[in-house]
Amino acid sequence: MMTAYLFEFIGTALLILLGNGIVANANLKSTYGGTAGWVGITIGWGMAVFVGVFVAADVSGAHLNPAVTLALAAAGKFSWAFVPGYILTQFLGAMTGTTLVWLTYKKHYDATEDQGAILGTFANTPAIKSPFWNFLTEFIATFAFVLAIFYIAGGSFSGEQIKLGSLDALPVALLVLAIGISLGGPTGYAINPARDLGPRIMHALLPIKGKGESAWWYAWIPVVGPIAGGLLAAMVYMAIGV
């Protein structure tokens, strides 16, 4: 299992390095990617998921997301004994990946005065502040994400469990792209507690010039919303039984 933990760490670090990297390229001052826009960001995140899943899938199953790990365990598709180790390595990977983004774009962080743009390269805040509706958005988006994951990687065929492998990287990437384009506007579609909270912690810790606050008032929503949505997806999957 140590090798599986290592690849959860590596896969999550690559996911965040490339995912938050496209946000930094689009949002920070004086980069070549300043015209990427929302479509560019969603495509970049989809490709980040593809790389992270492709690298880690055959070793760890490439959960890369505590909501996925908890949902698979709740549905009996993953051992609860390994859940703490997976979640820990996912958070450590996310913190490492976002630190590498900061190192890559250090001079652009120094040149950027927009505190919201800086925070956006680490973690999410809602387009319109409304905790209940922000929570519901993350809940619905993660429910759709995890339910689809079950049928991409968590179902069964002829009585044999299907496990996420490297060939499933593209469907998962397209799934994240679809969610980003269709459901991502209200909250930035965290759909992953490690993806938001790990980088938010690093935003608070790193010596970033003029970074402002880390928006801790919002931090619970990208954690609780995805976990709740993922667990409901597990319940629906088990109820359907197909």
Side-chain angles (χ1 to χ4, degrees):
M1 286 306 299
M2 291 305 297
T3 303
Y5 293 150
L6 175 61
F7 273 81
E8 274 296 292
F9 170 84
I10 292 172
T12 308
L14 286 170
L15 166 69
I16 302 303
L17 170 62
L18 300 179
N20 279 354
I22 177 57
V23 181
N25 197 17
N27 289 355
L28 297 181
K29 188 174 181 180
S30 300
T31 74
Y32 286 128
T35 60
W38 184 251
V39 172
I41 288 172
T42 56
I43 292 172
W45 265 107
M47 293 301 95
V49 170
F50 175 82
V51 172
V53 170
F54 192 90
V55 168
D58 288 338
V59 180
S60 72
H63 299 184
L64 315 185
N65 182 339
V68 172
T69 299
L70 289 168
L72 289 172
K77 300 293 186 179
F78 186 70
S79 172
W80 282 104
F82 303 131
V83 167
Y86 264 54
I87 291 177
L88 175 61
T89 52
Q90 289 158 2
F91 271 95
L92 292 175
M95 295 167 76
T96 300
T98 208
T99 301
L100 293 175
V101 173
W102 172 66
L103 291 171
T104 301
Y105 284 93
K106 175 62 168 62
K107 300 305 293 183
H108 299 277
Y109 279 106
D110 291 344
T112 301
E113 298 176 352
D114 185 338
Q115 295 178 351
I118 291 173
L119 177 59
T121 68
F122 286 85
N124 292 330
T125 53
I128 297 176
K129 182 179 178 181
S130 179
F132 172 78
W133 294 105
N134 302 152
F135 172 87
L136 188 62
T137 296
E138 287 291 333
F139 177 89
I140 292 170
T142 311
F143 170 80
F145 172 65
V146 174
L147 186 62
I149 286 290
F150 275 113
Y151 288 96
I152 292 172
S156 61
F157 180 75
S158 298
E160 296 294 326
Q161 181 179 342
I162 301 171
K163 296 182 179 180
L164 186 66
S166 57
L167 292 179
D168 295 307
L170 183 57
V172 175
L174 292 174
L175 171 61
V176 172
L177 174 61
I179 289 174
I181 290 176
S182 59
L183 304 177
T187 61
Y189 71 114
I191 62 173
N192 182 339
R195 171 263 173 277
D196 188 273
L197 183 57
R200 195 182 299 272
I201 291 170
M202 296 313 300
H203 177 271
L205 295 177
L206 289 171
I208 305 168
K209 179 181 176 182
K211 63 183 175 181
E213 299 296 325
S214 300
W216 289 109
W217 57 268
Y218 183 71
W220 70 274
I221 289 175
V223 173
V224 180
I227 289 173
L231 290 176
L232 179 62
M235 294 171 61
V236 170
Y237 173 77
M238 289 186 291
I240 295 173
V242 178

